Amino acid sequence: AQSVTQLDSQVPVFEEAPVELRCNYSSSVSVYLFWYVQYPNQGLQLLLKYLSGSTLVKGINGFEAEFNKSQTSFHLRKPSVHISDTAEYFCAVSNTGTASKLTFGTGTRLQVTL
Amino acid sequence: DARVTQTPRHKVTEMGQEVTMRCQPILGHNTVFWYRQTMMQGLELLAYFRNRAPLDDSGMPKDRFSAEMPDATLATLKIQPSEPRDSAVYFCASGGQYTEAFFGQGTRLTVV
């Protein structure tokens, strides 16, 4: 069984400030890791994914994440946020047998203000 | 631009009525998922199919929910009879063994 923990339900941040959204996972097998973003009244859109290779993964909209196997973490970062980054962010894990079968965290609401 | 298409986008129905939600997965994806999103429970996996065969529907209330894939281009989720507690956003997603899941825009269901 797998699980994902997003410790922060809400993260308020000022525009142009850096942000980190935390994600920890638990799994007894090798995993793939994902971050999805959900804007209001929209579906989930893939931000970035870690399947293998370099542990630093770059995604869309200037986001990046680092896979840390020893700490079972996959934290999402952006050096300078914009108002348009306000959204719900979900961390998800799948096993390497089926990349698309996801276990989601509870989500982190990123609120960017001026 | 390939995408997962869900219909309808919004549905308001009275308690006791049948509701059918439809999903057209991305061509070539062999795995289709149905999720439900609520404020209280977050994203819950209801059921999923691989190569049109149901693999897991343990997340669905069996007495009122049913999911099918009559062909590779259509997945359906039915609720009969619907109840107010079924009010939620229902997402369809498709993907593959080595392909991440792509989500549709969702069906917002309100049961009054």
Side-chain angles (χ1 to χ4, degrees):
Chain A
Q2 300 165 319
S3 66
V4 177
T5 302
Q6 292 182 248
L7 290 171
D8 305 306
S9 59
Q10 294 186 64
V11 173
V13 63
F14 291 111
E15 193 176 33
E16 298 184 3
V19 70
E20 178 181 86
L21 306 184
R22 296 180 292 169
C23 172
N24 288 89
Y25 70 92
S26 173
S27 177
S28 57
V29 299
S30 297
V31 298
Y32 296 143
L33 293 156
F34 307 85
W35 276 98
Y36 282 83
V37 60
Q38 185 179 28
Y39 299 103
N41 300 313
Q42 298 289 319
L44 279 74
Q45 178 184 359
L46 182 70
L47 265 183
L48 48 78
K49 60 185 176 184
Y50 171 79
L51 303 182
S52 65
S54 172
T55 57
L56 183 62
V57 179
K58 294 189 183 298
I60 62 172
N61 301 339
F63 284 93
E64 64 179 32
E66 186 158 18
F67 171 52
N68 187 319
K69 189 174 182 179
S70 63
Q71 296 187 9
T72 60
S73 68
F74 191 55
H75 301 330
L76 180 70
R77 302 184 182 96
K78 187 169 182 177
S80 176
V81 296
H82 191 268
I83 290 283
S84 60
D85 293 323
T86 295
E88 190 88 16
Y89 291 79
F90 292 94
C91 182
V93 64
S94 67
N95 66 47
T96 55
T98 305
S100 54
K101 185 175 184 292
L102 302 169
T103 299
F104 283 96
T106 51
T108 297
R109 170 75 177 169
L110 177 63
Q111 182 69 51
V112 182
T113 55
L114 294 171
Chain B
D1 185 24
R3 61 182 64 190
V4 176
T5 303
Q6 289 187 248
T7 57
R9 289 292 312 277
H10 303 273
K11 176 73 175 178
V12 180
T13 190
E14 292 185 347
M15 183 173 61
Q17 296 297 305
E18 177 178 298
V19 175
T20 298
M21 291 169 269
R22 294 177 173 80
C23 168
Q24 180 177 359
I26 292 173
L27 190 65
H29 285 182
N30 69 346
T31 311
V32 176
F33 305 86
W34 283 105
Y35 288 89
R36 177 170 63 184
Q37 186 178 36
T38 61
M39 289 293 291
M40 293 300 294
Q41 301 296 327
L43 279 159
E44 303 172 274
L45 178 63
L46 297 176
Y48 80 102
F49 297 77
R50 180 173 296 152
N51 297 323
R52 295 176 55 201
L55 286 193
D56 185 359
D57 62 0
S58 59
M60 283 199 319
K62 297 293 189 302
D63 56 338
R64 299 184 299 107
F65 284 60
S66 62
E68 297 179 345
M69 276 202 77
D71 62 62
T73 65
L74 177 64
T76 62
L77 179 66
K78 291 186 180 180
I79 308 174
Q80 168 62 24
S82 58
E83 297 181 1
R85 59 179 168 155
D86 301 328
S87 296
V89 182
Y90 292 81
F91 287 105
C92 175
S94 70
Q97 185 176 3
Y98 303 112
T99 308
E100 68 269 19
F102 291 77
F103 282 76
Q105 294 295 292
T107 295
R108 182 175 296 276
L109 174 66
T110 303
V111 183
V112 298

